[in-house]
Amino acid sequence: MIRMTEPSKITAVPDHQPAAGGIAARARASVGPKYLSGLNPEQREAVETLDGPVLVLAGAGTGKTRVLTTRIAHILSQGRARPAEILSVTFTNKAAREMKHRLGQMLGHAVEGMPWLGTFHSIGGRILRFHAELAQLKSNFTVLDVDDQVRLLKQLLQAENIDDKRWPARMLAGLIDGWKNRGLMPSQVPSGEAAIFANGKGGKLYASYQERLKILNAADFGDLLLENIRIFREHPDIVRQYQQRFKYILVDEYQDTNVAQYLWLRLLSQAPSSGSSLPGLTRQSVASSQDGSPGLDASRRPGDDQDNALPIPGAEKVHVKNICCVGDDDQSIYGWRGAEVDNILRFEHDFPGAKVIRLERNYRSTGHILAAASHLIAHNEGRLGKTLRTEDHDGEKVTVTGSWDSEEEARGIGEEIEQLQRQGEKLNEIAILVRASYQMREFEDRFVTLGLPYRVIGGPRFYERAEIRDALAYLRVINSPADDLAFERIVNTPKRGLGDATVQMLHDHARKRRIPLFEAARAVVETDELKPKARGSLRDLVTQFDRWRAQREVTAHTDLAQIVLDESGYTEMWQKDRSADAAGRLENLKELVRSMEEFENLQGFLEHISLVMDREGGAEDDAVSLMTLHSAKGLEFDNVFLPGWEEGLFPSQRTLDEQGRAGLEEERRLGHVGLTRARRRAKIYFATNRRIHGTWSTTIPSRFLDELPAANVEITESKGGSGWGGSGGYGASRFDDMEAFGSSYSTPGWQRAQANRNRGGQGGGGRGGFEEETASFSTSASPDFGSFSSRRRGPLTIEGELVAKSTGTTSEFALDDRVFHQKFGYGRVTKIDGNKLTIAFDKAGEKKVVDSFVQRA
DNA sequence: GACATCTGGGTTTTT
DNA sequence: CCCAGATGTC
């Protein structure tokens, strides 16, 4: 067994007595229910401590989900509560689904009766629908997504004559979102903050935005919780009702909660008997050792004053009931969108008498990987401190590999993946985790060339796709005629000759009479204010909607959706579209209609679509996963590649600039998350030159590399040779004074990296002459590429890889063939080399691809 | 009103 | 460099 020797930085909680606890646990284990067997003593304690507040600090890979689901099973089987009396919140639908699934397995039947297991937003939305009238909404209100929000704000800005170039709607949306995340209603926004937008109009805009939402019978994501909080505060009888209902509360990923979610939980977690105020709602100052940036600090904290003023009447005495929060402060990576690590750091203070349980036994990674991750995260100061340990063997060391530039990095990783594949590794067990999504393209290009199957995780979600949003807009207008945003979205989609001018006049008309756009349209077609052509198509549209609404009564909602898509000409619009992704979009539309079957009716579907629709699937095929570090949280792979560990990219310069020390610590946690995704192999990369926004710049290795423990890390040479060209002209490193764990590294590569780093400063000009086309060669086939420059300039290198990789068989394609590629669309074959084709794509430009990836068009 | 050209801006992402 | 939004032209 390997034990990390890193001492806990903060030990707010004494260690539990291993002897006594262990014996007691073992004694119980022999008689306990079946679902408890196989839990280690800490996990078991987390499951069995049912009374009072519990914080489970669950490090990466320590069986967090298992504890949560077992705890629910335990509560149920002990008869402590019925399924409908347990509130269990997660952040993502995926996590909620996973819990439901595992619970079903554990209990041996599907968990139909857990209506309150879901995401914060879906549960908040559910509660809000019950009390919609208290928020001046109807229970069929629409949930707006960011796009709708921004368009609405744009309209408000126009109405106020504010230049939306100088004051972009998107920025205002971000501000409002931030306020809502902090639980602030328009009247509670600190005046200083409200004033920063549009010369003091920010607060007023927030207020009028809220008014507009009510008129549109709509709520945004933030409202789903904020309106809950307001209703709870203003109606003690209602909050009491929920407090009584929820006998147990479980929270997943507590480190990611924001202030609003925290307040919401506080309100629900009080014992119903006390209609009391909440101590601990005073959020002043927990130690803020990690807050190094005063400016940011000031902007993050002002909400606190507001929190102090919570208008909750009643006695002092508080009974907090059985709330169990599970989280890992070391995996808090969403501070930039309002998550408050403080929530978890302050748990014991907020919930007096809380029991804190640490899960420190890692069941995922090998010794070296865990040691590297632990050592890295130990550099953070603001943490509760955990000491992860594993009983697994040491395994392979974490590797650090430097390359000349990002192309070489991608090439090297591609080769290593092929190597792993030859060793029998499943591609599904290989992931590349990047800091920023622009890093992905280089890998995609490379994989396409190699013919290596891959999938990108994350990216635009299903319901964010234009075609889905369009289809939904049609259905929204049918369901809710007051939904102006939806109407506006589809009024001229597909093109009907109803452009800006027409819409503008509908707006005027609607505003004058205070009616929705749709009704305005109905009225306007009776007049001759529009040109005959526009008038005709608008009349047709109104008639169509009337007909669809009538059909709704007698037609299944899935059929109706299909009818609407067909009759509106929307399907046809994509059928006619010759672009590469049209086929995929039609497929998505089919998928949308199919997914409607799970819902009772149109109303039910629309209520949930914006909250629970996420893309899934595609996991059947064996493919390498490509994603950001953020979207990797919660996942694990045998083999994890971590490219781009360079100053500026990772840690991200922008985070450092904006959030200072706290930002650096969050970046470091991101590194920790990345490493702990790996079960057996973790491979880190950095490049000396990287192209950012089109220009090449020279970079220096990430300071995080210095923070890895030398004993668990192996420095390897970049495949294909000498790494660093170091073109001089640097200033002193900012990090010379940082503790350098890696200073004892002795391989040539590392020394060169160090030498380069110590000369390093901010990239500055290194615009090397890399304009030449990618030198794609296969190292294994070309052992003697000596120096970088000889590789770079030699024309043969371009052919090297193609020759090496060619199958030798003649391609079934001929020059000038018209072909279609899933990703790049249509194109023409310009060159053939064995099974590798060079294709000039209509949209995507010239690419080299393997012939099996294209078909004749 | 529809299409072409231009400019500016560019982490991370859930709901 | 590459995309989205905004402006300009027919």
Side-chain angles (χ1 to χ4, degrees), chain A residues 653-664:
Chain A
Q653 189 57 50
R654 190 158 152 185
T655 301
L656 262 39
D657 291 344
E658 288 173 6
Q659 326 222 30
R661 173 118 201 199
L664 175 61

Side-chain angles (χ1 to χ4, degrees), chain A residues 267-340:
Chain A
L267 284 160
L268 288 173
S269 65
Q270 284 176 95
S273 52
S274 73
S276 62
S277 77
L278 307 167
L281 276 180
T282 47
R283 307 171 52 94
Q284 73 257 80
S285 72
V286 181
S288 46
S289 52
Q290 79 266 47
D291 291 318
S293 148
L296 177 96
D297 216 33
S299 72
R300 271 165 66 125
R301 299 253 163 203
D304 298 357
D305 301 335
Q306 298 293 332
D307 301 332
N308 288 341
L310 272 191
I312 296 173
E316 331 259 272
K317 180 107 193 195
V318 166
H319 302 281
V320 175
K321 67 168 155 221
N322 311 311
I323 183 169
C324 173
C325 296
V326 180
D328 180 0
D329 49 317
D330 291 337
Q331 290 187 65
S332 164
I333 54 176
Y334 285 109
W336 51 274
R337 67 170 197 222
E340 286 276 337

Side-chain angles (χ1 to χ4, degrees), chain A residues 68-70 72-73 76 98-109 111 114 117:
Chain A
L68 273 172
T69 49
T70 311
I72 293 175
L76 293 174
E98 168 82 4
M99 275 182 67
K100 277 189 177 152
H101 176 68
R102 304 224 335 219
L103 211 41
Q105 283 183 331
M106 201 175 297
L107 298 174
H109 54 83
V111 194
M114 290 276 302
L117 192 168

Side-chain angles (χ1 to χ4, degrees), chain A residues 21 67 109 114 141 167 180 189 197 226 245 260 298 341 358 380 402 420 494 540 636 789 820 847:
Chain A
V67 162
H109 54 83
M114 290 276 302
F141 65 82
W167 304 105
K180 289 185 175 179
V189 177
F197 190 85
L226 193 55
R245 170 173 304 159
V341 207
R358 284 177 161 73
N380 273 6
L420 287 170
D540 290 349
E636 53 185 298
S789 52
F820 177 78
K847 307 266 181 199

Side-chain angles (χ1 to χ4, degrees), chain A residues 63-206:
Chain A
K64 170 191 74 138
T65 308
R66 182 163 188 199
V67 162
L68 273 172
T69 49
T70 311
R71 187 179 163 93
I72 293 175
H74 189 58
I75 291 168
L76 293 174
S77 77
Q78 296 284 303
R80 292 287 201 108
R82 286 168 290 174
E85 293 171 332
I86 299 173
L87 171 66
S88 182
V89 279
T90 63
F91 272 83
T92 64
N93 293 305
K94 203 172 141 208
R97 257 197 315 268
E98 168 82 4
M99 275 182 67
K100 277 189 177 152
H101 176 68
R102 304 224 335 219
L103 211 41
Q105 283 183 331
M106 201 175 297
L107 298 174
H109 54 83
V111 194
E112 296 298 337
M114 290 276 302
W116 301 103
L117 192 168
T119 63
F120 275 101
H121 289 90
S122 65
I123 290 172
R126 200 185 143 113
I127 290 175
L128 186 54
R129 285 192 199 277
F130 283 123
H131 312 285
E133 73 290 350
L134 297 176
Q136 298 142 275
L137 294 168
K138 288 184 262 167
S139 71
N140 71 341
F141 65 82
T142 307
V143 179
L144 298 189
D145 56 39
V146 190
D147 229 71
D148 290 325
Q149 256 184 82
V150 170
R151 277 190 307 147
L152 183 51
L153 287 168
K154 221 172 242 173
Q155 290 172 14
L156 288 174
L157 290 175
Q158 266 158 17
E160 292 282 322
N161 267 326
I162 295 167
D163 177 13
D164 70 349
K165 266 219 149 109
R166 250 190 86 195
W167 304 105
R170 203 156 274 285
M171 177 183 172
L172 182 56
L175 285 172
I176 291 177
D177 208 51
W179 291 325
K180 289 185 175 179
N181 283 161
R182 281 157 52 203
L184 301 175
M185 315 285 310
S187 63
Q188 298 170 303
V189 177
S191 51
E193 262 184 85
I196 62 172
F197 190 85
N199 307 317
K201 297 214 181 99
K204 196 176 146 230
L205 285 163
Y206 178 15

Side-chain angles (χ1 to χ4, degrees), chain A residues 63 114 160 304 390 410-411 454 459 535 628 670 728 751 758 765 823:
Chain A
M114 290 276 302
E160 292 282 322
D304 298 357
T390 177
R411 216 178 308 136
Y454 69 92
R535 186 176 162 185
T628 62
L670 209 41
Q751 283 172 351
N758 289 334
K823 190 169 180 71

